[in-house]
Amino acid sequence: MKNTGKRITLGVTGSIAAYKAVELLRLLVRAGHDVRVVQTPSSRRFVGEMSFQALSGHPVALDQFDASAGAISHIELAGSDLMLIAPATADTIGKLAAGIADNLLLSTYLACEAPVVICPAMNTRMWNHPAVQENLATLRRRGVVIIDPGAGELACGEEGAGRMAEPSDIAVRAEKLLSSAMSTDVINKVDLEGVRVLVTAGGTREPLDSVRYITNRSSGRMGFAMADAALVRGAEVTVIAANCSIARNPGIKYIDVTSASDLQKAVEREFKRCDVLFMTAAVSDYKVSAGDTTGKLEREGKNDLQLVPTSDIVSQLQGNGNGGLKVGFSAEYGEDNRERARSKLHEKGLGMIVFNDISRADIGFESNLNEITIMAPGRDDIFVGKTTKRECAERILDQVVELLS
Ligand SMILES: Cc1cc2nc3c(=O)[nH]c(=O)nc-3n(C[C@H](O)[C@H](O)[C@H](O)COP(=O)(O)O)c2cc1C
């Protein structure tokens, strides 16, 4: 879904979240887009133009009355493929809704015929104010895409809604919008609202003694991508993370576990109150048979390490009373094992299984890319060619939404 070479106008307004626009710009530029930044006068009190200029490779547009050589006008800025305002203050949202044009960003918006996305950021009480909500409803009615803020700790020290969406999520949505097949209606689609999603991620560790363990190469990236994608689509998301050291999303609840048996206990507890389980974690098939693994094994001749199988967590999972959908992930060695993945659908009572071939070095473990086949009983297999794990997650969620409906 990469749309190289698109022109994006990034508007930055006077919110404490303006620093996040620097990261958003970096992601957009890294994706191959030509980004022009326009700042409101207030936003410059939060972040200066130098970072934006250095990252975008263009001077920052600041003043609509600037007639100097090289200054860019609101008409030129409005000619981009997408206008993104992040963060968007209550003040700017109000002016956009009212059609006020007393700065360069606002004039650009009025002249812009491309899709417009705004990412509000403000204190919870400002966010909840009817004036702000009515202005947002007006903009939504006019086709503006609103990426709602998340809940969490706000810069003002309070907790609640109003925290700007994460730059990585905004970048993914912008990318979708730039792909010709997607309309603003689709991007506004929140098709997992009210769905409780549980994701296991990472690789378990089985202790040999107090300092050593057996593990696998799973980083947790696929599971974290599933979780981030589900959150953006409106789900309430919990991740059971087995030894993952990747960045966490403030909108998601994480439960850290170490071994297969820790993971099993957490899944059994959490599955009772979830609608969809994504069993993305690579769970060890074996553990050391010795009951007590405390202490440290010394080098004393040959050691006949005995391994015994761990429990098959997903097969043993009891129904959760609300018909929870179980989605398995089958990492098999070699394409020939596709049928082995399919047989697990029935053996483990899964509603869906995602197959990937771990014999390939260019996808899967420790990579940001994957190539998958989505299988479900009575449905045609869906092949997703080599792409980002986030895109794989979106395609899996599309299928889950169909199954749930
Ligand atoms: C420290 C500080 C933080 C602020 N953070 C926000 C914010 O997150 N969201 C918001 O809507 N306004 C915030 N404001 C108020 C705006 O900066 C103010 O309404 C300003 O006029 C916005 O102008 P602009 O929309 O043209 O950028 C903040 C003000 C201060 C002093």
Side-chain angles (χ1 to χ4, degrees), residues 23 36 44 51 159 203 217 226 229 248 265 274 336 345 385:
E23 170 64 2
R36 297 276 180 158
R44 297 178 71 197
S51 304
E159 285 269 335
R217 290 172 50 207
M226 284 302 323
R248 299 190 170 200
K265 282 185 212 129
C274 92
D336 302 348
L345 261 180

Side-chain angles (χ1 to χ4, degrees), residues 14 39-48:
Q39 285 194 260
T40 63
S42 311
S43 79
R44 297 178 71 197
R45 292 176 173 264
F46 295 86
V47 181

Side-chain angles (χ1 to χ4, degrees), residues 13-17 40 42-43 46 88-92 103 121-123 126:
T13 71
S15 156
I16 197 107
T40 63
S42 311
S43 79
F46 295 86
T89 57
D91 179 60
T92 289
N103 67 37
M122 65 199 73
N123 164 277
M126 291 172 79

Side-chain angles (χ1 to χ4, degrees), residues 224-300:
F224 276 42
M226 284 302 323
D228 289 345
L231 182 77
V232 169
R233 290 168 75 148
E236 183 195 315
V237 187
T238 301
V239 172
I240 300 174
N243 314 299
C244 304
S245 55
I246 42 185
R248 299 190 170 200
N249 188 324
I252 293 174
K253 175 182 164 194
Y254 295 88
I255 298 168
D256 285 293
V257 296
T258 305
S259 66
S261 90
D262 296 342
L263 188 130
Q264 180 167 23
K265 282 185 212 129
V267 170
E268 284 171 353
R269 190 180 62 241
E270 297 296 321
F271 185 59
K272 293 193 183 81
R273 40 178 216 88
C274 92
D275 303 300
V276 188
L277 166 67
F278 293 99
M279 202 61 196
T280 323
V283 181
S284 178
D285 291 321
Y286 287 95
K287 64 180 179 185
V288 178
S289 67
D292 183 11
T293 52
T294 48
K296 182 167 175 277
L297 291 170
E298 295 300 333
R299 191 192 297 124
E300 284 169 354

Side-chain angles (χ1 to χ4, degrees), residues 7-12 34-40 56 58-64 70-84 103-116:
R7 289 167 308 152
I8 299 176
T9 298
L10 173 61
V12 182
D34 182 22
V35 188
R36 297 276 180 158
V37 177
V38 50
Q39 285 194 260
T40 63
S56 69
H58 298 292
V60 174
L62 299 165
D63 179 3
Q64 58 183 341
I72 185 162
S73 73
H74 62 287
I75 304 297
E76 288 169 90
L77 285 167
S80 61
D81 300 300
L82 177 73
M83 181 170 186
L84 197 51
N103 67 37
L104 184 54
L105 185 154
L106 297 167
S107 300
T108 302
Y109 164 74
L110 286 184
C112 184
E113 288 181 336
V116 178

